[in-house]
């Protein structure tokens, strides 16, 4: 062990380091070992969701020929988008260890407002959308303030809002009625596709931008002697992203029309909406002070308070973001069905979204979660609901399966949390 | 004698009808460790929180670097360069060491958080404190031992070029080896010229690292002495009876809460 001298020698502050200071995860084998250790320690991240997704796809594909058709895949993407967007909002409250039971019906109420603006006031789509999102933000502000200032558990506040908000569409639409949702742009999110060429260009731009950013970051970190992953890992990440993005683009850009007379091809517009939201919120969570403070409040609110963070403001903002995203999810789901009815956003909408976030790897106990979790978990949930739909199962099966999946995800979360605290990862 | 860096004069504090601090004078000197000792309930934590700006004073003056200052909250105190390491640490388990050290005071560039600057400064601070025990500054705090966490909490306090650091029972929950590390760190802080306040119930620790000892007895200062001038049993007497030989409160029997 003649090379192993620096652990024994005195620390050398002149070199800007300290003993045992470890700046890079060495080789790709070290990274793999680190990853396995993290898994063992209970830090599962999105792994269960990705494995689950693979299993589900295999099962449904073997049970039904139509499941793996590109037509159904495109349909699945649109179905998943509303769940993903709602789940992305839910991630923000889950990060604080809170819950929002009203987000689903809030989405329905917001979509009602948007539809009314479109129909009764002839607003353009973006003004109507803004109105819906603003209504959502106000609801979130109310919920957040009640939770923060009065200290009512969010479970109770949002249960009350869950009941109360169902009155909005019921009053504005009337029971049994529905509002058509056929604005060309908003309805087009679900039924229109990005032109094939534009889709390819966007896909290539995303891959190239990701590769450039990752490599640039790698270079600047290693040049400054900061902690960085091994280059092999960086390259693998870029390759995985390229395969997924380009593969999906190829799949969706192929003609998927079941009817030989006309052609359906291109990425459904809902997908770029989801991707834009994913990029935006990932930036907010990982690269801004607000994002850092969200994690801090979720991890240890008292520590955050002593560090001078305005905990009340962070908490209120989380609920505002959650309900604002719920409004967008409500629009996407109205776009998919082409109408808004008093039941929109009710039933298992919220359960789906919470399940999606938790399946994706966001903890119910606060402090852990990513925007990407919502995407992965949302795909799992949409796959379940899409696959069961194709199998023509009775509706009750759907409820049982979804409920079980949520329970399973929550159990994985609780168990990994216990392992984390004992393994100290 | 050097001028005190921070000095409280004639501080009184009551919670409702309970008079917790009586005319307390307390001074912190640069380059010295001042141990604050006293029985449970003597008022140590209350005094620290008054210094930290968390509690207001009913009466008494706050002096910093020889000038009388008005402080109205933790932010004012932090602005003076006074940092507190609380008994219950206040670290976020889900964040790594760098993230914890910069919590609430993150550095940013135009594009968002400046991880490069923060990681560099965190590493420099740990290196300058000769921290030997942490493996990587990007380690999550949940994976650290009690002593390592205490180290991070202390490093966080000195990161801001602070002039005074108050440590409320930093070794209470630690084993022998970890206590050793933390005490060495406390000593190094003082050697760098900081004014350090150490609250501890362990007289061995106090006699080892402290330059001055301030003993509180029922909310009164029983003694403010140089550590060289007292021995173990004298401190214990000051803590338990408020008096030892010619040191201490003239007539402890009349001291009431
Ligand atoms: N927030 C408070 N409200 C009322 N009484 C308090 C409060 N904080 C401390 N006290 C009282 O002040 C006295 C001193 O407490 P403290 O400063 O915590 O003592 P120490 O840290 O020396 O053990 C105790 O009698 C305690 O009950
Ligand atoms: Mg105390």
């Amino acid at each position: 062990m003649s090379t192993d001298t620096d652990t024994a020698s005195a620390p050398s502050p002149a070199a800007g380091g300290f003993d045992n200071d470890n700046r890079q995860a060495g080789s790709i084998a070290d990274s793999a070992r680190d990853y396995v250790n993290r898994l063992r320690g209970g830090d599962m991240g999105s792994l269960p969701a990705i494995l689950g997704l693979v299993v589900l796809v295999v099962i449904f594909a073997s049970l039904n020929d139509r499941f793996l058709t590109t037509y159904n895949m495109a349909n699945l993407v649109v179905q998943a988008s509303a769940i993903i967007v709602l789940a992305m909002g839910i991630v923000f409250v889950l990060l604080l260890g809170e819950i929002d039971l009203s987000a689903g019906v809030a989405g329905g109420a917001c979509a009602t407002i948007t539809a009314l603006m479109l129909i009764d006031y002839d607003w353009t789509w973006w003004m109507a959308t803004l109105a819906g999102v603003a209504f959502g933000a106000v609801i979130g502000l109310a919920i957040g303030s009640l939770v923060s200032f009065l200290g009512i558990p969010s479970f109770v506040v949002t249960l009350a809002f869950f009941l109360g908000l169902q009155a909005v569409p019921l009053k504005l639409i009337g029971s049994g009625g529905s509002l058509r949702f056929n604005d060309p742009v908003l309805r087009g999110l679900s039924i229109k596709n990005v032109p094939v060429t534009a889709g390819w260009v966007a896909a290539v731009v995303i891959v190239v931008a990701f590769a450039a950013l990752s490599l640039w970051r790698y270079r600047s970190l290693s040049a400054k002697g900061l902690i960085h992953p091994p280059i092999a890992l960086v390259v693998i990440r870029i390759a995985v992203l390229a395969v997924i993005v380009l593969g999906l683009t190829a799949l969706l850009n192929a003609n998927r029309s079941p009817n030989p007379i006309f052609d359906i091809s291109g990425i459904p517009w809902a997908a770029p909406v989801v991707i834009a939201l994913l990029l935006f919120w990932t930036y907010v969570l990982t690269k801004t002070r607000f994002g850092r403070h969200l994690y801090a409040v979720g991890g240890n609110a008292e520590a955050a308070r002593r560090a001078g963070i305005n905990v009340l403001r962070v908490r209120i903002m989380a609920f505002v973001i959650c309900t604002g995203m719920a409004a967008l999810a409500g629009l996407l789901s109205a776009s998919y069905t082409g109408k808004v009815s008093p039941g929109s956003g009710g039933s298992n909408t919220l359960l789906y979204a919470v399940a999606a976030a938790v399946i994706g790897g966001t903890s119910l106990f606060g402090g852990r979660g990513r925007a990407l979790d919502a995407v992965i978990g949302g795909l799992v949930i949409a796959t379940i609901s899409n696959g069961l739909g194709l199998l023509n199962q009775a509706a009750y099966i759907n409820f049982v399966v979804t409920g079980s999946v949520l329970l399973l995800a929550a159990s994985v979360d609780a168990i990994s949390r216990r392992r984390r605290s004992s393994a100290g990862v | 004698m050097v001028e005190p860096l921070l000095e409280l004069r004639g501080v009184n504090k009551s919670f409702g009808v309970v008079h917790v601090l009586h005319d307390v004078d307390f001074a912190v000197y640069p380059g010295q460790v001042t141990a604050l000792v006293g029985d449970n309930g003597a008022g140590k934590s209350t005094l620290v929180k008054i210094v930290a700006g968390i509690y207001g004073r009913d009466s008494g003056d706050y002096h910093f670097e020889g000038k009388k200052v008005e402080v109205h909250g933790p932010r004012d105190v932090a602005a003076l360069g006074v940092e507190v390491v609380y008994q219950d640490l206040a670290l976020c388990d889900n964040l790594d060491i760098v993230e914890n050290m910069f919590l609430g005071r993150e550095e940013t560039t135009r594009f968002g958080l400046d991880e490069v600057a923060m990681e560099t400064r965190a590493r420099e601070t740990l290196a300058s404190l000769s921290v030997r025990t942490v493996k990587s500054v990007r380690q999550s705090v949940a994976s650290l031992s009690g002593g390592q966490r205490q180290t991070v909490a202390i490093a966080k306090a000195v990161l801001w070029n602070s002039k005074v650091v108050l440590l409320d029972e930093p070794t209470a929950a630690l084993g022998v080896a970890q206590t050793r590390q933390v005490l060495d760190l406390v000593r190094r802080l003082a050697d760098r010229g900081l004014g350090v306040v150490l609250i501890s119930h362990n007289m061995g620790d106090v006699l080892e690292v402290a330059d001055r000892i301030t003993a509180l007895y029922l909310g009164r200062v029983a003694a403010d002495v140089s550590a060289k001038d007292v021995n173990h049993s004298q401190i214990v007497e000051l803590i338990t009876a408020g008096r030892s030989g010619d040191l201490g409160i003239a007539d402890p029997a009349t001291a009431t809460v």
Side-chain angles (χ1 to χ4, degrees):
Chain A
M1 290 295 278
S2 58
T3 53
D4 193 12
T5 50
D6 44 319
T7 42
S9 67
S12 49
F18 44 91
D19 259 18
N20 298 327
D21 185 8
N22 187 353
R23 291 177 187 210
Q24 85 149 312
S27 67
I28 188 77
D30 293 338
S31 302
R33 192 153 4 94
D34 273 5
Y35 183 66
V36 171
N37 280 342
R38 280 218 307 279
L39 288 184
R40 284 229 193 94
D43 191 0
M44 312 273 272
S46 292
L47 187 68
I50 292 170
L51 293 180
L53 195 57
V54 171
V55 171
L56 285 170
V57 167
V58 170
I59 291 178
F60 286 128
S62 66
L63 291 179
N64 189 305
D65 301 337
R66 275 184 300 151
F67 179 76
L68 267 188
T69 58
T70 47
Y71 183 79
N72 189 50
M73 287 293 119
N75 188 26
L76 196 151
V77 167
V78 179
Q79 273 180 311
S81 64
I83 300 173
I84 289 173
V85 171
L86 187 55
M88 224 179 262
I90 298 278
V91 163
F92 282 78
V93 291
L94 291 185
L95 269 180
L96 300 187
E98 308 278 355
I99 186 70
D100 186 350
L101 299 175
S102 68
V105 295
C110 296
T112 307
I113 302 288
T114 301
L116 279 180
M117 292 301 150
L118 289 170
I119 297 168
D120 290 0
Y121 297 90
D122 278 328
W123 283 21
T124 46
W125 66 270
W126 61 269
M127 280 170 63
T129 302
L130 224 55
V133 174
F135 186 60
V138 170
I139 296 171
L141 190 66
I143 295 173
S145 305
L146 286 168
V147 172
S148 292
F149 292 123
L150 297 188
I152 313 174
S154 57
F155 169 77
V156 177
V157 174
T158 58
L159 188 59
F161 272 78
F162 169 74
L163 296 173
L165 282 174
Q166 298 185 48
V168 173
L170 208 51
K171 173 78 177 60
L172 294 178
I173 303 175
S175 92
S178 71
L179 298 174
R180 78 200 125 76
F181 202 82
N182 56 2
D183 176 85
V185 174
L186 293 179
R187 175 79 167 123
L189 287 176
S190 306
I191 60 171
K192 288 191 194 146
N193 303 306
V194 180
V196 171
T197 329
W200 275 118
V201 171
V204 170
V205 165
I206 286 180
V207 171
V208 170
F210 180 78
L213 261 177
S214 309
L215 293 173
W216 174 79
R217 187 159 172 271
Y218 174 83
R219 276 196 46 192
S220 74
L221 287 184
S222 55
K224 296 198 175 80
L226 300 179
I227 291 173
H228 55 277
I231 183 73
L233 192 63
V234 176
V235 173
I236 289 176
R237 277 195 199 131
I238 295 172
V240 168
L241 181 96
V243 168
I244 292 175
V245 170
L246 299 177
L248 280 177
T249 308
L251 209 68
L252 294 170
N253 271 347
N255 178 16
R256 57 174 174 270
S257 171
N259 185 334
I261 300 169
F262 53 90
D263 178 289
I264 306 178
S265 56
I267 301 164
W269 276 106
V273 171
V274 169
I275 292 169
L277 289 169
L278 170 68
L279 293 179
F280 177 71
W281 290 124
T282 300
Y283 174 80
V284 169
L285 284 174
T286 58
K287 293 280 177 281
T288 67
R289 302 187 69 195
F290 171 71
R292 181 65 45 85
H293 295 174
L294 266 172
Y295 286 99
V297 173
N300 185 344
E302 177 58 18
R305 195 183 64 78
R306 289 189 197 159
I309 294 170
N310 188 337
V311 175
L312 296 187
R313 196 184 71 94
V314 169
R315 202 167 273 147
I316 291 173
M317 278 306 291
F319 280 99
V320 169
I321 292 170
C322 176
T323 324
M325 289 292 281
L328 292 181
L331 287 188
L332 282 171
S333 110
S335 161
Y336 181 67
T337 54
K339 64 180 192 341
V340 184
S341 57
S344 292
S347 184
N348 50 12
T349 311
L350 178 88
L351 219 64
Y352 273 177
V354 174
V358 177
I359 290 168
T362 294
S363 174
L364 285 166
F365 303 99
R368 273 165 194 275
R370 299 172 304 173
L372 183 62
D373 295 346
V375 176
I376 296 171
L379 287 174
V380 172
I381 293 290
T383 302
I384 293 175
S385 118
N386 175 289
L388 289 178
L390 284 181
L391 296 180
N392 271 330
Q393 294 293 344
Y396 76 90
I397 299 271
N398 214 329
F399 281 100
V400 172
V401 171
T402 316
S404 315
V405 169
L406 175 57
L407 211 51
L408 189 70
S411 313
V412 170
D413 179 29
I415 292 168
S416 51
R417 177 180 139 100
R418 232 189 359 222
R419 293 194 64 159
R420 266 204 306 278
S421 57
S422 61
V425 174
Chain B
M1 185 84 221
V2 281
E3 280 293 302
L5 204 48
L6 183 153
E7 194 177 10
L8 297 191
R9 290 188 199 146
V11 166
N12 282 279
K13 176 71 185 171
S14 301
F15 292 108
V17 295
V18 193
H19 198 158
V20 178
L21 296 178
H22 301 256
D23 295 320
V24 168
D25 296 327
F26 182 62
V28 184
Y29 297 89
Q32 298 198 3
V33 177
T34 303
L36 184 57
V37 298
D39 222 339
N40 281 331
K44 305 181 296 295
S45 294
T46 304
L47 183 56
V48 165
K49 284 175 183 160
I50 286 176
V51 173
I54 291 177
Y55 295 155
R57 293 155 283 148
D58 297 343
S59 66
D61 296 330
Y62 198 120
H63 294 258
F64 193 79
E65 294 183 320
K67 289 188 290 286
K68 189 163 177 252
V69 289
E70 292 301 322
V71 295
H72 299 288
R75 280 177 185 278
D76 293 350
V77 173
L80 291 174
V82 178
E83 294 283 330
V84 184
V85 177
Y86 293 95
Q87 206 163 348
D88 47 345
L89 290 187
L91 298 174
C92 292
D93 274 1
N94 56 334
L95 301 182
D96 67 31
I97 294 178
V98 179
E99 290 169 344
N100 265 291
M101 284 174 71
F102 282 86
L103 192 60
R105 301 188 257 198
E106 295 83 3
E107 294 186 3
T108 53
T109 64
R110 254 176 314 152
F111 305 109
L113 294 175
D114 190 351
E115 298 291 352
V116 171
M118 291 194 278
E119 190 178 318
T120 309
R121 264 188 72 197
R123 178 173 281 121
E124 280 167 7
T125 303
L126 289 170
S128 74
L129 294 172
S130 306
V131 169
R132 272 188 293 274
T133 53
V134 296
K135 226 173 74 196
S136 153
V137 290
R138 288 298 180 184
Q139 226 176 328
S140 129
V141 162
S143 67
L144 300 179
S145 71
Q148 290 172 324
R149 289 161 155 263
Q150 196 73 53
T151 304
V152 171
I154 295 172
K156 178 181 180 178
V158 302
L159 182 64
W160 305 99
N161 295 322
S162 37
K163 295 171 181 153
V164 176
V165 175
L166 300 101
L167 304 124
D168 198 351
E169 305 206 25
T171 57
L174 302 184
V176 178
Q178 298 186 341
T179 299
R180 177 82 266 126
Q181 286 161 11
V182 170
L183 290 181
D184 287 348
L185 188 51
V186 166
R187 195 58 248 172
R188 278 200 293 275
L189 293 186
D191 293 345
R192 282 163 59 140
L194 276 72
V196 181
V197 177
L198 173 72
I199 297 185
S200 177
H201 282 293
N202 185 321
M203 288 316 120
D205 296 355
V206 167
L207 281 170
E208 184 191 323
V209 294
D211 301 293
R212 296 194 66 78
I213 296 176
T214 302
L216 284 183
Y217 177 73
L218 296 179
R220 290 167 177 81
V221 176
D224 181 7
V225 292
S226 172
K228 296 189 300 290
D229 302 339
V230 285
N231 60 30
H232 192 291
S233 58
Q234 281 175 306
I235 306 176
V236 172
E237 271 185 283
L238 283 168
I239 290 172
T240 52
R243 186 159 185 84
S244 169
D246 48 0
L247 282 173
I249 300 165
D251 187 4
T254 63
T256 51
V257 174

